[in-house]
Amino acid sequence: MNFFRGVMGGQAAGPQPSGAETIHKLCDRVASSTLLEDRRDAVRALKSLSKKYRMEVGTQAMDHLINILQTDRSDSEILGYALDTLYNILCNDEEEEQDETAQKQSDDLGAQFTEQFVQDAEHVTLLLSLLEEFDFHVRWPGVKLLTVLLKNQGVQVQGIILVSPMGVSRLMDLLADSREVIRNDGLLLLQQLTKSNAAIQKIVAFENAFERLLDIITEEGSSDGGIVVEDCLLLLLNLLKNNSSNQNFFKEGSYIQRMKPWFEIGDDNSGWSAQKVTNLHLMLQLVRVMVSPVNSPGATASCQKSMYQCGLLQQLCTILMATGVPADILTETINTVSEVIRGSQVNQDYFASVNAPSNPPRPAIVVLLMSMVNERQPFVLRCAVLYCFQCFLYKNQKGQGEIVATLLPSTIDANSISAGQLLCGGLFSVDSLSNWCAAVALAHSLQDNLTQKEQLLRVQLATSLGKPPVSLLQQCTNILSQGSKVQTRVGLLMLLCTWINNCPIAVTHFLHNQENVPFLTAQISENLGEDERLVQGLCALLLGICIYYNDNSLENYTKEKLKQLIEKRIGKENFVEKLGFITKHELYSRAAQKPQPVFPSPEQMLFDHEFTKLVKELEGVITKAVHKSNEEEKKEEEVKKTLEQHDNIVTQYKDLIREQDSQIQELKEQVASMSSQSEQMQTTVTQQLSQIQQHKDQYNILKLKIGKESQPNSQEDSSQVNGLQTEELTQLREEVEELRKQHALLQTQLGDKDTLLDTLKSETAESSAGGSDNTELLKELEALRSQVQSQSAEINHMKTERQELLTRAEAGSQDTVSSSDGSLDAAKMAELESRLAAQSSETQRVKEEAKSLSESRAELEQQLASATSTVAILQTEKAKLQTEVQESKKEQDDLLMLLADQDQKINALKQKLKGLGETVDDEDDLDGRDQTDDDYEDEDED
């Protein structure tokens, strides 16, 4: 115990041992002691020495401490001491008030010990298993130790955790711990774990991290919360930034809607705490991550739509127009709104409708532009407003038209300040930054919009009293020639390049001023200093655009004359070299990286992101245009005209093919409907044939039965004979009724056929391909006519049979009466005569019904004859239509022959068109017609 007193600070006699010796003895005690209490005391002593003697404890005791973690799992106290000691050895944050050299040595020491610890992956796995212990003295130091390992050797430790079974899930369980200190340190651990590792980020997200983190943020008070909210937001940023899978999961899980309450602020916005400012800043960054321009366009558009639908955009605009909001939060809110509306027409339209709470109300765009052209506003705020204006006009031709309209004479309102007035004011201000921002904003109003470029040529400016107004284009060139600051001239040159690009009318207006071309050539040809090289490059770009988009409407400044002027005054090689100054500038590549204008200082604000795209697009074509000869340009123009003619012809053929395709599709639908109707009628005919067969069988049975019973039999009495006649007449009436029903059904079918014929007549007049349908209908009518004829023959045969039966019945009744004259009395004779009279009347009625059926059959035959004549007429019309089809095919062949001598690409297109024009409607229809003919021939044979 004296040993431990010396270690723990007690008094001991004799010389005191050094720190290294004490640590060596403690390590021996940890390794050799059999009692748990001795080992625990030794580890506790090492913990107390680990901060002061970090090197010695780390080099001598690390292996022993790891062994303690493996062997003494049952004692939480010694585990806690061992974990705390390892944390002190590996952690670099505890050193205070050290100079730079000492701090660097301390950092190197922590990295070395961490590398030694993670050499064996089992050590990290052991640490993960210890986190399952619920005991506070084990779990908390374990979390801190694993966090230090991730800080010092993040990639290696991430790899070990990733392959460890349930490794990430164990760490996610820390967020559910009821002890806040463990949960909060678990957040720090997960922050380190998810840095720059997409695989772990996805696992954490699918472990329900979004739900848990948003719940914690809500519990802690959202933006009014403390450091815990900040940690949650940092972890959310790690999970979502540059991870499209997690972003989609976040959106699909309806978590965007849960972000709206974060931005609900009150009327009193004074006295925001630093923590609230930090929290809101991170929340705004989280919104921007979801709609960042670097994300895929589809994902960004989907998130923008969700933010508008849930009211998040409206809430951000409320902050934008609120008073008392800190400047940095206002700046970040403007940037956030910019990216939420960028490229989304619905969101841009809503933003255009937002008004500031002023008297009178002003559009939010106007209020923001007032800040942009105000040189007393902070630089970052002015950059944010410019970015917001650019995003509002991005792919928004409607918004571009509204901005340009505020500059036109017919729409200017002298009683209110418009966006156009503010931009013109900034363009001609004495502040160079305002000049640059206004020029870039105007350039975005014209981006990829030929209509607005032409409209802006109408703008006239009153420079001073008593002088005539000048155009905006002329005023820009006037300021340019006055030799203002470099930033101002760069902004004006970017505006002019964007304005006249791909707009021959604007090029003509620019060249119409006789002073512009000499000024540009003078600027390009001079040998100026380093600061003027960018201006020279932009002047060369502007002159190159005047050449490339010149329509030769001005005799003095045609393409050829401008190129001759460059060759004489500047030199082609020198011109191309000056043009290359733009892309070689150090600030060009920085501006080309992302749309948001971010500059360290106002002096470095020279390039716009969209303008860098324009330079990249034009540099090559302008260089080629300058080097081309007049003959080459003429050849190119001829080729262009030829290609335009070819394109027109190809377009005509495409339209013709589309029309034919639509007609073919309609005819196919008609054929399908007719085929289905034919199948239905065939089914009906089959059913009728089966019914006729049944009637035949019944009739044959009845005939056999009557033949047997009608033989001379004088022994039968008159009551049996009369009974037999009654039964036979009943069966005959039933058969006549069945025949009447069949005739009614045939009449109905003939009516349907007449309707089909009328429909077919109208369809045949519209398309030549309808001839095949007439042939099918003709065959169906022939089949029906043959069926009616067969049924008529059957009816005549049955009438003959019925007449024979009636004759036999009457003969049998007379024989019976004559043989029984002597035996029957007068009463029976009267009864027999009355019954015979009734039978005669019934027979007469049956004859009348048979006569009416014969007349019906005659009418049906007449209808069939008229249908046959109609079919003949339709066949004649079909022949005429087929002749017209052949003539149209000949005309198509003649047109195709005219294109046979063109270049290989056009020839390939017409071969494809020829294939489409010849084979689709002819071969398909012929095949369908042959198949239909074969089917009907098979049915006739049956």
Side-chain angles (χ1 to χ4, degrees):
M1 295 302 293
N2 290 335
F3 171 76
F4 287 111
R5 290 195 190 97
V7 172
M8 302 306 294
Q11 297 296 326
Q16 296 294 324
S18 63
E21 294 174 350
T22 304
I23 292 169
H24 180 70
K25 292 179 180 178
L26 290 172
C27 290
D28 289 341
R29 181 61 58 89
V30 171
S32 59
S33 295
T34 57
L35 293 178
L36 178 61
E37 291 79 2
D38 291 344
R39 293 198 301 276
R40 185 190 304 131
D41 293 338
V43 174
R44 183 168 60 240
L46 286 172
K47 174 188 171 184
S48 63
L49 296 172
S50 58
K51 293 184 179 180
K52 185 176 181 180
Y53 299 100
R54 185 179 175 192
M55 170 70 78
E56 291 79 3
V57 174
T59 53
Q60 298 184 42
M62 181 176 291
D63 293 338
H64 299 298
L65 295 171
I66 294 173
N67 187 56
I68 288 292
L69 297 179
Q70 294 172 339
T71 57
D72 291 330
R73 294 288 295 270
S74 60
D75 186 68
S76 59
E77 190 175 357
I78 193 173
L79 290 178
Y81 292 149
L83 292 170
D84 284 333
T85 306
L86 288 171
Y87 173 77
N88 292 336
I89 295 171
L90 302 179
C91 183
N92 299 320
D93 298 337
E94 299 298 330
E95 303 293 337
E96 298 177 357
E97 297 181 1
Q98 290 185 344
D99 57 17
E100 184 177 350
T101 304
Q103 184 63 41
K104 187 175 183 303
Q105 292 176 353
S106 175
D107 293 344
D108 293 342
L109 195 61
Q112 292 173 6
F113 286 140
T114 303
E115 184 177 359
Q116 179 182 348
F117 184 87
V118 300
Q119 278 181 352
D120 190 352
E122 292 296 328
H123 296 166
V124 180
T125 306
L126 173 64
L127 198 55
L128 290 173
S129 65
L130 289 175
L131 292 181
E132 294 182 350
E133 297 288 340
F134 186 75
D135 192 287
F136 180 81
H137 297 91
V138 177
R139 202 173 206 186
W140 186 39
V143 171
K144 294 193 297 181
L145 178 57
L146 192 55
T147 305
V148 170
L149 292 175
L150 286 165
K151 284 182 180 179
N152 296 340
Q153 293 287 337
V155 176
Q156 191 173 355
V157 178
Q158 283 175 340
I160 297 172
I161 294 175
L162 189 60
V163 300
S164 176
M166 300 296 291
V168 178
S169 298
R170 292 172 181 172
L171 300 181
M172 285 298 299
D173 291 339
L174 298 174
L175 298 182
D177 199 304
S178 58
R179 295 160 294 192
E180 290 190 2
V181 63
I182 294 179
R183 184 200 65 184
N184 298 343
D185 282 346
L187 289 171
L188 300 176
L189 170 60
L190 290 171
Q191 285 180 27
Q192 298 296 327
L193 179 66
T194 54
K195 280 184 178 179
S196 305
N197 193 308
I200 292 180
Q201 290 169 1
K202 292 179 182 179
I203 296 174
V204 172
F206 282 96
E207 287 283 346
N208 206 23
F210 293 140
E211 184 77 28
R212 296 184 185 183
L213 292 173
L214 293 175
D215 288 342
I216 294 174
I217 291 173
T218 304
E219 292 171 2
E220 295 291 328
S222 298
S223 59
D224 293 323
I227 189 68
V228 177
V229 173
E230 179 183 349
D231 292 337
C232 290
L233 293 171
L234 289 171
L235 179 53
L236 284 171
L237 284 173
N238 280 354
L239 295 175
L240 293 173
K241 195 171 185 178
N242 300 325
N243 193 318
S244 58
S245 175
N246 282 1
Q247 290 173 5
N248 184 61
F249 182 61
F250 190 85
K251 178 184 70 68
E252 296 296 334
S254 300
Y255 296 120
I256 290 179
Q257 288 80 342
R258 297 186 59 178
M259 298 167 68
K260 180 190 173 185
W262 296 351
F263 304 103
E264 294 177 354
I265 60 174
D267 296 333
D268 184 14
N269 295 316
S270 60
W272 285 27
S273 65
Q275 187 62 57
K276 181 174 182 177
V277 171
T278 302
N279 291 345
L280 262 177
H281 201 275
L282 292 172
M283 290 172 178
L284 292 169
Q285 286 185 8
L286 197 60
V287 176
R288 293 184 64 185
V289 164
M290 298 299 296
V291 292
S292 173
V294 301
N295 297 343
S296 64
T300 300
S302 180
C303 291
Q304 288 172 334
K305 181 179 179 182
S306 297
M307 290 178 181
Y308 173 76
Q309 291 176 343
C310 74
L312 179 57
L313 174 59
Q314 293 85 330
Q315 201 66 48
L316 293 174
C317 290
T318 302
I319 298 178
L320 203 63
M321 296 292 104
T323 57
V325 179
D328 52 347
I329 292 298
L330 181 61
T331 302
E332 188 65 20
T333 303
I334 294 173
N335 289 328
T336 305
V337 171
S338 305
E339 294 181 353
V340 173
I341 67 174
R342 187 176 189 268
S344 173
Q345 187 66 54
V346 175
N347 293 5
Q348 289 167 341
D349 291 344
Y350 170 77
F351 184 70
S353 66
V354 175
N355 288 323
S358 59
N359 190 15
R362 290 175 177 168
I365 297 174
V366 173
V367 175
L368 292 175
L369 288 178
M370 292 173 67
S371 300
M372 184 185 75
V373 298
N374 187 351
E375 57 184 306
R376 288 175 295 182
Q377 293 293 339
F379 172 63
V380 292
L381 179 62
R382 299 174 73 181
C383 290
V385 173
L386 176 61
Y387 183 46
C388 185
F389 192 74
Q390 292 173 351
C391 292
F392 169 68
L393 297 178
Y394 182 72
K395 294 183 179 180
N396 183 11
Q397 293 194 352
K398 178 183 176 183
Q400 289 175 326
E402 293 172 352
I403 297 298
V404 174
T406 59
L407 287 166
L408 299 179
S410 59
T411 58
I412 292 178
D413 185 3
N415 297 323
S416 63
I417 300 176
S418 65
Q421 293 173 355
L422 289 170
L423 291 176
C424 281
L427 193 63
F428 308 125
S429 170
V430 295
D431 178 30
S432 61
L433 184 59
S434 296
N435 301 153
W436 190 92
C437 291
V440 171
L442 266 178
H444 278 265
S445 301
L446 307 175
Q447 195 79 35
D448 300 326
N449 196 327
L450 181 61
T451 303
Q452 302 311 322
K453 290 178 181 179
E454 296 175 357
Q455 287 291 322
L456 200 63
L457 294 172
R458 298 169 48 202
V459 177
Q460 300 289 322
L461 302 175
T463 55
S464 60
L465 293 175
K467 291 185 178 181
V470 297
S471 67
L472 177 61
L473 182 67
Q474 182 59 46
Q475 184 65 14
C476 290
T477 56
N478 292 341
I479 296 175
L480 193 62
S481 61
Q482 291 173 3
S484 52
K485 293 182 180 180
V486 173
Q487 191 175 38
T488 300
R489 285 181 287 161
V490 168
L492 289 173
L493 285 168
M494 288 195 298
L495 172 60
L496 290 173
C497 290
T498 305
W499 193 345
I500 70 173
N501 175 56
N502 198 22
C503 184
I505 298 177
V507 171
T508 303
H509 277 71
F510 180 79
L511 295 176
H512 189 72
N513 187 347
Q514 302 294 328
E515 298 177 357
N516 288 341
V517 174
F519 169 74
L520 292 178
T521 55
Q523 286 287 317
I524 299 169
S525 59
E526 289 182 4
N527 292 322
L528 302 176
E530 190 74 20
D531 295 338
E532 297 291 332
R533 295 180 66 179
L534 177 58
V535 176
Q536 287 184 309
L538 292 172
C539 289
L541 179 66
L542 184 59
L543 187 57
I545 295 174
C546 291
I547 295 173
Y548 188 71
Y549 291 105
N550 195 334
D551 58 1
N552 296 325
S553 59
L554 294 177
E555 184 179 354
N556 294 332
Y557 293 112
T558 62
K559 285 185 178 182
E560 186 61 27
K561 289 185 177 181
L562 286 176
K563 287 193 288 186
Q564 292 175 0
L565 184 64
I566 289 175
E567 189 171 1
K568 291 179 181 179
R569 299 282 183 87
I570 305 171
K572 292 183 178 180
E573 299 300 329
N574 190 27
F575 178 85
V576 174
E577 181 183 359
K578 296 294 177 67
L579 184 62
F581 286 168
I582 302 175
T583 55
K584 293 178 182 178
H585 198 278
E586 58 181 353
L587 297 178
Y588 175 86
S589 58
R590 179 184 298 177
Q593 291 176 359
K594 56 183 180 179
Q596 182 181 358
V598 179
F599 302 97
S601 62
E603 294 77 17
Q604 296 185 5
M605 202 169 185
L606 293 177
F607 284 105
D608 174 58
H609 176 75
E610 292 296 329
F611 182 74
T612 59
K613 293 182 180 179
L614 181 65
V615 173
K616 186 177 180 181
E617 175 186 346
L618 292 177
E619 185 178 11
V621 297
I622 289 176
T623 303
K624 291 180 182 179
V626 170
H627 284 290
K628 282 178 184 175
S629 63
N630 193 21
E631 295 179 356
E632 291 177 346
E633 286 191 353
K634 288 182 180 179
K635 289 181 180 179
E636 282 193 359
E637 289 179 358
E638 292 178 357
V639 171
K640 286 182 179 178
K641 290 180 180 179
T642 305
L643 288 176
E644 288 178 358
Q645 293 176 356
H646 293 167
D647 290 341
N648 292 333
I649 295 173
V650 170
T651 302
Q652 293 176 2
Y653 271 100
K654 286 182 178 178
D655 295 338
L656 179 61
I657 289 172
R658 290 192 188 98
E659 292 178 1
Q660 292 179 347
D661 286 342
S662 62
Q663 292 176 0
I664 290 171
Q665 187 63 31
E666 291 176 359
L667 291 173
K668 285 182 177 179
E669 293 176 356
Q670 293 174 6
V671 168
S673 63
M674 295 290 288
S675 299
S676 62
Q677 293 175 3
S678 176
E679 291 176 358
Q680 293 176 358
M681 296 185 69
Q682 288 176 1
T683 305
T684 304
V685 169
T686 304
Q687 293 176 355
Q688 290 178 354
L689 290 174
S690 63
Q691 291 177 0
I692 290 172
Q693 186 63 38
Q694 291 177 0
H695 289 310
K696 284 182 179 180
D697 295 339
Q698 293 175 1
Y699 177 73
N700 291 332
I701 293 172
L702 181 61
K703 188 167 65 172
L704 292 173
K705 183 176 180 181
I706 292 173
K708 291 179 181 180
E709 294 179 354
S710 63
Q711 295 176 358
N713 186 4
S714 58
Q715 302 299 325
E716 294 178 352
D717 55 5
S718 61
S719 63
Q720 291 175 342
V721 174
N722 291 333
L724 179 61
Q725 288 178 350
T726 303
E727 181 179 358
E728 289 174 353
L729 289 173
T730 303
Q731 291 179 353
L732 285 174
R733 282 198 297 271
E734 291 175 355
E735 290 176 0
V736 169
E737 188 67 22
E738 288 292 329
L739 289 174
R740 189 187 297 113
K741 291 181 180 178
Q742 291 177 7
H743 276 279
L745 181 61
L746 287 173
Q747 286 179 340
T748 304
Q749 291 177 354
L750 272 177
D752 295 338
K753 279 299 178 180
D754 291 336
T755 304
L756 290 174
L757 283 172
D758 294 336
T759 305
L760 189 58
K761 286 180 183 178
S762 62
E763 292 174 349
T764 306
E766 295 176 358
S767 173
S768 61
S772 61
D773 297 337
N774 297 334
T775 304
E776 294 175 2
L777 183 58
L778 180 61
K779 293 189 176 183
E780 291 176 359
L781 289 173
E782 291 294 336
L784 284 173
R785 187 166 60 185
S786 62
Q787 291 173 10
V788 170
Q789 290 176 355
S790 63
Q791 289 181 354
S792 298
E794 290 174 359
I795 290 170
N796 292 331
H797 181 67
M798 293 178 71
K799 286 171 63 177
T800 303
E801 295 290 337
R802 181 181 63 81
Q803 190 65 34
E804 292 177 358
L805 289 174
L806 289 173
T807 304
R808 290 179 185 177
E810 290 175 357
S813 63
Q814 291 175 2
D815 292 339
T816 304
V817 171
S818 61
S819 61
S820 57
D821 283 340
S823 60
L824 295 176
D825 55 8
K828 289 185 178 180
M829 190 68 180
E831 181 180 359
L832 183 60
E833 287 177 354
S834 63
R835 291 179 64 184
L836 184 59
Q839 293 291 337
S840 298
S841 63
E842 184 68 19
T843 302
Q844 185 64 30
R845 189 179 65 80
V846 171
K847 287 180 179 180
E848 290 175 357
E849 289 178 356
K851 184 178 179 181
S852 65
L853 288 175
S854 298
E855 293 175 354
S856 299
R857 182 178 64 82
E859 291 177 359
L860 289 175
E861 288 177 352
Q862 291 178 358
Q863 292 177 359
L864 283 174
S866 63
T868 303
S869 63
T870 304
V871 170
I873 294 171
L874 290 175
Q875 286 178 341
T876 304
E877 292 177 355
K878 181 197 71 171
K880 292 180 181 179
L881 291 173
Q882 286 178 344
T883 304
E884 293 176 358
V885 170
Q886 293 298 328
E887 292 176 356
S888 66
K889 286 181 181 177
K890 289 180 181 179
E891 291 177 357
Q892 291 179 3
D893 292 338
D894 294 337
L895 289 174
L896 289 172
M897 290 300 293
L898 291 175
L899 300 175
D901 297 330
Q902 301 304 324
D903 57 271
Q904 184 176 2
K905 180 179 178 180
I906 301 301
N907 190 27
L909 283 173
K910 280 193 280 300
Q911 289 297 330
K912 183 177 179 181
L913 293 172
K914 185 177 178 181
L916 291 172
E918 286 186 350
T919 59
V920 173
D921 69 337
D922 290 337
E923 294 181 3
D924 292 344
D925 291 342
L926 289 174
D927 292 340
R929 196 178 305 155
D930 293 341
Q931 182 65 34
T932 306
D933 293 341
D934 294 339
D935 294 340
Y936 280 116
E937 288 175 4
D938 294 338
E939 289 176 3
D940 292 338
E941 290 174 2
D942 293 338

